[in-house]
Amino acid sequence: MAMGKYSRVDGRKPSNYCSTTTVVVFVALCLVGAWMFISSSVPVQNSDPSSQENVKQAAGENISKHFEDSPGDLPEDATKEDGNAVDSQSDSPSDVHDDPKVTEKESESTVEDNKDEKAESKNVVEDNQDGKTVSEEERKMETENNEDGKTEDREVNSGDKESNSEAGETQAQGNEVTESDQTESEESSGENKSKSDDGEKNPDSGENANENNQEGATENNVDSQENDQTSIEILPAGTQSELLNETNTQNGAWSTQVVESQNEKMSQQSSIAKDQYGHGWKLCNVTAGPAYVPCLDNWYVIRRLPSTKHYEHRERHCPQEAPTCLVPIPEGYRRSVKWPQSREKIWFYNVPNTKLAEVKGHQNWVKVTGEYLTFPGGGTQFKHGALHYIDFIQDSHPDIAWGKRSRVILDVGCGVASFGGYLLEKDVLAMSFAPKDEHEAQVQFALERGIPAMLAVMGTKRLPFPSSVFDLVHCARCRVPWHIEGGKLLLELNRVLRPGGYFVWSATPVYRKRPEDVGIWKAMSKLTKSMCWDLVVIKTDKLNGVGAAIYRKPTSNDCYNNRPQNEPPLCKESDDPNAAWNVLLEACMHKVPVDASVRGSHWPEQWPKRLEKPPYWLNSQVGVYGKAAAEDFAADYKHWKNVVSQSYLNGIGINWSSVRNIMDMRAVYGGSDWGVDEPIKSKIRCWRVKLKRHSFDLFCWLMIIMVALFAAALKDLKVWVMNIVPIDSADTLPMIYERGLFGMYHDWCESFNTYPRTYDLLHADHLFSSLKKRCNLVAVIAEVDRILRPEGKLIVRDNVEIIGEIESLAKSLKWEIRMIYSKDNEGLLCVQKTTWRPTESETITSAIIQA
């Protein structure tokens, strides 16, 4: 009779099974007993203040370690330090000071009643609950009624010494509570439950939140003792004790909250949130509604354009004053589908447009399927799927070598960006762009799917990229008249294409013989020959019934010098090919760099070597931090890799499995690659070392299995970063492309060329302090709100004054303060956008289409 592997005829369990069960039950009972013993311990009421202060300092130093930048050789003025602490739950804007210790916030009513008391400076990680605090007298009352809090506090402090020696292991454990909280948030938003904040505070909910905090702290203490680790959310003893003591708040404490709640209700009667500067938020009343892009929906200017022949109406026309209103959220909006499922489907109500499905559905662009918009992966030139088309291109010319030689490409007229989306499987980054035109929301579809894309048009101005940065440029029926007006538009592609790079043109003139197509092909052949582009191959894709012509840009100036006619002409020597912000197009070509020390004279290292290896041309330049550029680059890379791996990925409570689209609003060299595997791998190696040094430990084995599973879950997690180099910053964008990353130039005093709700995380490193000198900071934050998805995060690194202003504005927007930390006049702030919207509106007359 056939039986299962572990079956027994008599139905009894094997003896080894019983032994294992006994051991597990025994260990579990021991842990429960230890926990009960610890929880019931009576603490000493009167502790030594001096020893208490020493413990505070030790814990504060431990926190600082996790957020130390390790800047390497960066100079002092380029160093930014960050740290971690836990939530003090306050609604009022915090005063951020230089003291690295975690301190306290007092409620507004307490400040009124105790004007002579001075609030201590503090750094907090706000846990996104109700943000309630209590006065000092109330905390004393709670201390007498909450002995368990001190017990836990003492236990945490006793482990500080050992935890400092193993700071690298603390981060995975420290995020358990935070990540579980975020998971619950994601599930609730997945059920399409809108979280509109009416500004009222519930005392019961605040009490429950405090109880949850106490339970979480108890669990972390037990884990800390058993694993020789300390959670990175540990607070100095005094602060943690006060936080835990809030669990048993008496009625006297709530009387203070009632007053504060009444004041809050009064301030929100007009449904306007106000910050300490008196700013009132309103909804943008515009024709575009939830799809409003200020610099592309300025109909006041568009109506007055003398001509639209060169797509001037699709170009940027920013209003004189950047809007300070908030873009509405579509009714029925849900948290975006996670990658990689989002590549195939998105929620319909997040981008409620059906026109593209009606017009392009037969080409498998997009279809409406119940409550989803689905993307079969097709396109005009690849109805049978992008993957086949991608393989067809490489088979046509193997030297293209997707993901090795060809790493960063430009996709012109991308549609819904399925081509770029499937190229990610080949380790290729595609900067896909298309205009905001009658193919409504095509770029919004792409970004909602988690595919890099931006709004732009081949019009009268240069694209916002440096010269010679793209390994390949692709156009599949992109509807751009390359051959007209001296080839001005094709010459712009020549500017951004790397010498030796390829132009893949898949369009009807390549493979059809209609009179119009034949005429365009002849004109293109003449133009590309005069540009010294090599026609490498013409191939036909029989499955899709299309063809592609592949051209190659020259790597020397020999052809230019030997042309019988200087047409198109070479650009003047004074013409800077890297100048790209609001620069008009000219029908000319720039010479190819031939000096071995100049960028563009050699092809970069193959991916992934090019990411970490300083390029050859850095040796002749000075870096942005004043040292040799190669040394600057190495130090910057080490600095940001440490910040991302030690702080961002593990230290600020972000559930990275829900993060896909990232924007670095002020990039230098491109920072870190935001990889998530390495920190987890290092933890696994650390656990293996412990096993070799110590005897068998069942709990340790369980931890290894847990960490291994976590690493496996993160292994396939992919994010992409749009690196923005502000126009008034050092022009390091060519360096970013040289590393195999991508980005663009932008002026943050204006709106960015993207749809609303298209990024999961924005990162701003000392951006706002520089913008404050010339921009309206409120308008910049309104733009951040427009770009971020609901539940998206903003990470700010700046001086403490700016951190305070941004925190205040974030609170006025009803955003959740996830973390705030400061040291030596430098601060770190992490906030999370909510679904709150004001009810009063503001009409932007320039964005109204009048009949």
Side-chain angles (χ1 to χ4, degrees), residues 408 465-471 496-498 599 610 734 737:
V408 186
F465 313 119
S467 67
S468 304
V469 291
F470 290 104
D471 305 330
V496 300
L497 183 61
R498 192 182 297 279
R599 181 179 67 88
R610 64 194 282 186
Y737 276 92

Side-chain angles (χ1 to χ4, degrees), residues 126 147 215 307 337 373 480 557-558 587 622 713 738 814 849:
E126 302 206 2
E147 298 176 346
E215 293 175 3
S307 171
V337 177
L373 288 165
V480 177
N557 294 311
D558 294 342
V622 176
E738 200 78 5
K814 304 303 179 186
I849 300 179

Side-chain angles (χ1 to χ4, degrees), residues 75 113 208 337 364 441 491 495 521 544 631 650 754 775 792 809 846:
D113 295 335
N208 292 336
V337 177
N364 287 328
L491 290 168
R495 182 185 71 86
W521 174 255
N544 288 303
E631 187 179 350
N650 297 307
T754 191
C775 308
L809 288 170
S846 63

